[in-house]
Amino acid sequence: MAIFSLAFKSLLNRKFTFLITLFSIAISVALILGVQTLKDETKTSFMKSISGTDLIVGARGASSQLLLSSVFHIGNTTNTIKYDSYKEISQLPVVEWAVPISLGDSHKGYTVMATELSFFDHFSYANKQSLSVQSGEISDDMFAVIIGSDVAKKLNYKVGDNVVMTHGGGEIDGHDHDNIPYFISAILTSSFTAIDQTLIISLEAMEAMHTEHNDFHSALPSEQSTRTDTQQDDGHKHEQHDHDAHNNHDTHNDHAAHNDHDDHDDHDEHAAHNDHDDHNDHDAHDEHAAHNEHNEHNDHDAHNDHNDHDAHNDHAAHNDHNDHDAHHDHHDHADHADHAHQHNDTPEQRIARLLQIKPENINAVFIGLTSRQAVLGVQNYVNNYKNEPLTAIMPAVALQELWAFFAIAEVALDIVTVFVVLVGLLGMLSIILMSLNERRREMAILRSVGARPGHIFALIIGEAAAVCFSGIVMGIALLYGLLFALQAPLANHFGFYLDINFLNLNDLWVLATIQISALIIAIIPGVLIYKTSLSDGMNIKF
Amino acid sequence: MIKINDLCFSWKTTPVINISNLHIQTGKHLFIEGPSGSGKSTLLSLLAGVLTPNSGGIEVLKQPLTSLSSSQKDSFRADHIGFIFQQFNLIPYLSVIDNITLPCSFSTIRKQKAITRSGDLKSEAVRLLKALGLTGEDIFQRNVNELSVGQQQRVAAARAMLGSPEIIIADEPTSALDSAHRDAFISTLFNECDKENITLIFVSHDSSLKKHFNHHINLGAINNIKQEQQ
């Protein structure tokens, strides 16, 4: 014990070299622990990207590719599956929920993901946390877009702003879907997943952007329409009504066409509209696109019999209308002259609202099952799906597999940090070695008062142990200082949430290894001074 | 108390010491005179058990050193012998008090003696310092490097005396002091050694110091290896 107190006092006497050695060890310790922490946290954050989803279904291919594209929105999204397949799979009795997603467009480099509103009910990450809204409200409007927190922050978007999507990844200019603008209805809170860098739209809107509806333009009574026909079907009148009402800032009641509107509502409500022949009779002379569209509309009515879809569509239109009015109220009054019609639907949007076409193809389906035991069965069913080649992956398993790719990088990092620690310890060795010669007198004095050569050896080892131990303690302090300092900036600028935990068992092993290595390395000067003190004895050589 | 018989020691192949017979009795102040290179330091190392003779026997306090292992010799030295060197006797990173009490880290016997005498180690150190003419609390707090050479030598003497070892070996302790300080140092050293009944072996090349001692040995005379032979 006396020797260790001596060693400690001896170190204090050489504060400067002691501190330098201390810092080099502290920095290397902080680095090795920091790299471990970052590795762990990266892995955790990676593994937290998705949870609560039992299966992801996509086109047949590598599971990592499907995972990357569906969860991380990285890479190839050209492989699609049929919407009908999704419908069929979602109707399996063990499927509790199924949410289709479709990718492929972007906005200023950020992924645009089309899905259904139920996505927000079912998608979860980390410990089954759901996505939450930071501002605005998730709107069921067809052209509402919900944006991730990073998108909002980096592009400085607010709720109510208008955005336009770009076809593909944005590599080629001039592929903006500027005929279909979106308004931001909600900004999500940070989830530290790919969703933060994503804009979420409806499947119908995605389809609308990618379908050429030129044929239907003539069906609209808009300015560019060349149609002279005055006979229009009710649906179109309704649209016209909306449009006009906007342009004039009139109330519905004042408008002459309002009666038509009511008529239309009546039609929908009692499904008289399905009295299709009637219309056809009316429109008998009307042999152009409007007719097609009308048919389309009727189709919808037909399968709305069971879910009141038409009424819903009307509601949607209405909502939109109200929404627009509201926007006009607090938004556009000031610069009314410039873009009074900013929030009016474009013709393409109006067509899309009427058509409500679901896409034929989607990229992936997230599936939740009623019981975990069903996973393998459903996976098997999907993998052997008869109508088209599909793959079903279990996200947790696929994440593990994908992470295994990074193992080599982990090893490389480990090697580098081990060498950094080694350099720190070698620095300590050189400083101890350099001090030996000037300390021969000290050793001779110690020998004269009865110190054994073993004591002298222990003194050197003790010094190394003390330096290394202080270095480790300081390194830990440095690490936690850095972690606390970097936590907020990392989350803000890189979307990486660093969870600060106490040192785990692995870290303690690393630290123990460093401490033991220091002791082993200190054997070199220890043996040297042992030999010197044996031959020097109490003779002090100058 | 110290008996040397037919002692031979060589550094590698060069013979340094060859003493046929030397007896030193308890309580004496012995002056060993010898010019530089006459093997003074080697003799002291042999007495301290740091060096092992090639042949012959050394008996200290009736204990034949040759029968002890090297670590037993280290313990024996710690328990029974105090040293004062020429200069730079003190460990620079220890305080005055810590320097004085240093032998107690290696010898429980001396630690017990010191505690029995003054209650605790620090009081004993202070008592010895005062006896050696170093007073004032500020000295105890000072860094040893800030002390004058004379003060340093007195601190070294206090360390050698702490816990009353039987023997104090002083190797040219006064060579760094001027003559006034030298005489004062020697007389205080004598006083304290008499009080504690410590045998003092004082080694120097300076024969002018001989007058202070009632016993003296010329190493050149008893060492059969002559300077010319080396």
Side-chain angles (χ1 to χ4, degrees):
Chain A
M1 219 43 237
I3 280 297
F4 287 100
S5 133
L6 267 184
F8 189 68
K9 285 172 178 165
S10 155
L11 284 176
L12 284 185
N13 182 52
R14 288 169 293 132
K15 285 189 202 77
F16 190 65
T17 47
F18 170 65
L19 279 180
I20 288 175
T21 320
L22 197 64
F23 277 126
S24 71
I25 293 175
I27 288 167
S28 61
V29 164
L31 188 85
I32 197 165
L33 292 182
V35 165
Q36 296 294 331
T37 307
L38 279 184
K39 262 166 51 184
D40 291 350
E41 286 304 310
T42 311
K43 185 173 180 178
T44 313
S45 154
F46 181 81
M47 294 300 171
K48 278 179 177 172
S49 302
I50 185 164
S51 78
T53 297
D54 293 314
L55 285 171
I56 301 173
V57 174
R60 178 149 309 163
S63 67
S64 55
Q65 195 187 352
L66 177 56
L67 184 79
L68 280 174
S69 67
S70 64
V71 177
F72 297 100
H73 308 155
I74 294 169
N76 193 335
T77 53
T78 53
N79 295 333
T80 57
I81 62 173
K82 290 202 177 69
Y83 189 77
D84 293 342
S85 304
Y86 150 67
K87 274 285 170 203
E88 193 171 339
I89 290 166
S90 69
Q91 257 129 48
L92 290 174
V94 289
V95 172
E96 191 182 348
W97 55 266
V99 180
I101 63 161
S102 187
L103 300 154
D105 281 353
S106 68
H107 174 75
K108 299 192 177 163
Y110 293 98
T111 310
V112 172
M113 181 176 83
T115 183
E116 289 180 342
L117 280 177
S118 59
F119 177 81
F120 297 101
D121 299 329
H122 300 307
F123 181 84
S124 57
Y125 62 96
N127 270 328
K128 307 212 169 162
Q129 283 166 270
S130 294
L131 295 168
S132 60
V133 172
Q134 125 188 348
S135 63
E137 228 172 272
I138 292 173
S139 163
D140 59 359
D141 188 89
M142 190 169 164
F143 298 106
V145 57
I146 293 124
I147 64 173
S149 60
D150 283 1
V151 180
K153 201 183 299 163
K154 293 279 162 57
L155 301 179
N156 209 12
Y157 283 162
K158 291 178 297 297
V159 171
D161 286 355
N162 279 357
V163 292
V164 164
M165 307 310 172
T166 309
H167 189 69
E171 304 88 354
I172 309 158
D173 287 343
H175 281 66
D176 289 351
H177 298 293
D178 43 10
N179 50 354
I180 300 194
Y182 294 78
F183 71 93
I184 296 170
S185 75
I187 297 170
L188 297 171
T189 34
S190 283
S191 61
F192 302 106
T193 66
I195 299 295
D196 288 352
Q197 288 102 40
T198 304
L199 296 91
I200 300 171
I201 59 171
S202 63
L203 279 175
E204 292 85 354
M206 173 74 101
E207 180 61 14
M209 286 195 291
H210 294 92
T211 318
E212 292 296 325
H213 289 311
N214 291 335
D215 287 351
F216 303 122
H217 273 296
S218 49
L220 296 171
S222 54
E223 300 78 42
Q224 70 263 47
S225 174
T226 53
R227 210 156 69 110
T228 53
D229 194 1
T230 53
Q231 184 88 25
Q232 294 171 0
D233 76 67
D234 289 336
H236 288 145
K237 277 183 182 162
H238 175 58
E239 278 302 307
Q240 184 188 26
H241 166 71
D242 277 355
H243 194 63
D244 289 344
H246 260 304
N247 288 342
N248 301 327
H249 294 279
D250 282 340
T251 61
H252 284 287
N253 296 333
D254 294 342
H255 203 272
H258 186 59
N259 292 334
D260 288 340
H261 182 62
D262 286 341
D263 286 351
H264 176 60
D265 282 346
D266 287 342
H267 267 295
D268 286 331
E269 274 157 27
H270 55 67
H273 197 53
N274 282 336
D275 197 1
H276 174 50
D277 291 341
D278 217 44
H279 274 288
N280 281 348
D281 287 348
H282 270 292
D283 297 341
H285 60 284
D286 201 355
E287 285 301 323
H288 51 67
H291 184 62
N292 293 338
E293 205 234 310
H294 183 63
N295 286 340
E296 194 72 46
H297 200 57
N298 285 336
D299 282 351
H300 272 279
D301 285 344
H303 78 74
N304 281 337
D305 284 347
H306 48 90
N307 63 2
D308 208 12
H309 192 63
D310 213 24
H312 176 68
N313 284 346
D314 267 1
H315 273 302
H318 254 306
N319 286 344
D320 190 40
H321 184 71
N322 292 336
D323 208 15
H324 279 287
D325 279 344
H327 275 297
H328 275 291
D329 282 349
H330 63 75
H331 228 262
D332 277 351
H333 266 306
D335 37 16
H336 189 252
D338 294 338
H339 47 118
H341 308 305
Q342 189 184 336
H343 292 291
N344 288 343
D345 285 349
T346 61
E348 287 81 0
Q349 282 178 311
R350 269 180 281 146
I351 294 168
R353 277 189 199 285
L354 287 170
L355 299 179
Q356 291 288 343
I357 303 173
K358 294 279 186 190
E360 267 180 41
N361 293 309
I362 53 176
N363 287 100
V365 185
F366 291 146
I367 291 174
L369 302 175
T370 49
S371 86
R372 289 201 67 88
Q373 282 75 34
V375 170
L376 288 175
V378 176
Q379 188 177 31
N380 196 39
Y381 168 82
V382 171
N383 286 340
N384 299 304
Y385 190 66
K386 52 200 180 309
N387 295 341
E388 63 173 326
L390 296 179
T391 304
I393 57 168
M394 288 182 261
V397 175
L399 282 168
Q400 284 287 357
E401 282 173 8
L402 192 56
W403 185 256
F405 286 121
F406 303 123
I408 186 76
E410 279 191 44
V411 170
L413 263 181
D414 284 346
I415 291 172
V416 170
T417 50
V418 163
F419 274 96
V420 169
V421 171
L422 204 61
V423 167
L425 292 178
L426 287 178
M428 181 191 76
L429 173 67
S430 73
I431 280 178
I432 293 177
L433 281 176
M434 278 192 292
S435 74
L436 288 189
N437 213 32
E438 69 194 43
R439 297 179 68 192
R440 285 171 72 175
R441 156 168 298 278
E442 186 185 320
M443 301 309 164
I445 295 167
L446 288 172
R447 291 280 278 139
S448 81
V449 297
R452 294 174 205 163
H455 284 128
I456 308 290
F457 178 79
L459 178 65
I460 295 298
I461 301 283
E463 281 191 23
V467 170
C468 189
F469 186 76
S470 327
I472 286 173
V473 170
M474 199 173 171
I476 294 170
L478 191 66
L479 172 75
Y480 280 98
L482 278 175
L483 289 182
F484 279 110
L486 289 178
Q487 193 176 32
L490 271 180
N492 290 339
H493 299 294
F494 299 101
F496 180 73
Y497 181 73
L498 194 64
D499 197 16
I500 299 178
N501 296 311
F502 188 69
L503 299 175
N504 59 29
L505 195 62
N506 183 46
D507 294 334
L508 296 179
W509 272 114
V510 168
L511 294 180
T513 309
I514 293 173
Q515 180 72 61
I516 290 165
S517 309
L519 295 182
I520 291 169
I521 282 177
I523 288 175
I524 299 169
V527 166
L528 283 175
I529 197 99
Y530 182 91
K531 286 185 173 166
T532 315
S533 72
L534 267 185
S535 64
D536 277 6
M538 299 181 308
N539 291 331
I540 295 153
K541 308 222 163 71
F542 295 95
Chain B
M1 114 170 285
I2 294 175
K3 287 179 187 167
I4 289 175
N5 287 309
D6 300 322
L7 180 71
C8 283
F9 181 81
S10 305
W11 279 113
K12 307 235 164 75
T13 55
T14 315
V16 185
I17 298 279
N18 183 353
I19 297 170
S20 51
N21 207 340
L22 176 66
H23 286 233
I24 300 163
Q25 279 157 20
T26 310
K28 274 188 178 174
H29 302 164
L30 176 69
F31 182 77
I32 297 177
E33 184 195 351
S36 302
S38 61
K40 294 191 306 278
S41 296
T42 309
L43 177 63
L44 296 183
S45 291
L46 286 164
L47 287 176
V50 174
L51 295 178
T52 307
N54 301 89
S55 64
I58 305 174
E59 206 175 279
V60 180
L61 301 168
K62 296 178 180 155
Q63 171 68 55
L65 290 185
T66 40
S67 69
L68 296 176
S69 73
S70 63
S71 71
Q72 281 172 323
K73 281 187 275 192
D74 289 328
S75 300
F76 185 82
R77 178 170 70 252
D79 289 342
H80 304 290
I81 307 173
F83 284 89
I84 309 168
F85 295 110
Q86 188 175 2
Q87 217 183 334
F88 310 117
N89 271 292
L90 307 177
I91 294 192
Y93 52 80
L94 295 181
S95 69
V96 169
I97 298 293
D98 282 346
N99 260 292
I100 294 171
T101 57
L102 192 59
C104 296
S105 303
F106 302 99
S107 166
T108 46
I109 293 177
R110 285 171 72 180
K111 187 175 180 178
Q112 278 311 315
K113 282 190 194 169
I115 290 171
T116 312
R117 176 137 198 174
S118 293
D120 63 81
L121 290 178
K122 193 186 171 191
S123 315
E124 175 65 1
V126 171
R127 188 191 69 78
L128 284 167
L129 280 175
K130 283 184 176 156
L132 289 164
L134 281 178
T135 49
E137 280 294 318
D138 66 311
I139 284 190
F140 310 144
Q141 308 306 325
R142 256 191 271 174
N143 186 315
V144 292
N145 298 316
E146 293 167 19
L147 300 178
S148 72
V149 179
Q151 286 171 325
Q152 285 187 22
Q153 291 304 86
R154 277 183 280 181
V155 171
R159 182 176 66 203
M161 285 177 194
L162 186 89
S164 307
E166 287 82 351
I167 303 164
I168 285 180
I169 295 174
D171 186 2
E172 306 250 19
T174 56
S175 63
L177 304 177
D178 57 45
S179 60
H181 279 104
R182 184 194 310 153
D183 294 346
F185 179 78
I186 289 171
S187 67
T188 36
L189 195 59
F190 280 9
N191 278 336
E192 287 308 303
C193 285
D194 287 343
K195 276 187 207 162
E196 312 279 334
N197 196 25
I198 295 169
T199 304
L200 176 68
I201 299 170
F202 195 108
V203 187
S204 179
H205 67 280
D206 185 358
S207 52
S208 69
L209 296 172
K210 216 187 326 190
K211 63 177 189 286
H212 298 285
F213 295 84
N214 38 16
H215 298 274
H216 44 84
I217 296 168
N218 190 328
L219 188 58
I222 61 161
N223 191 355
N224 299 327
I225 293 159
K226 300 297 172 215
Q227 297 271 216
E228 306 83 66
Q229 289 174 291
Q230 289 183 22

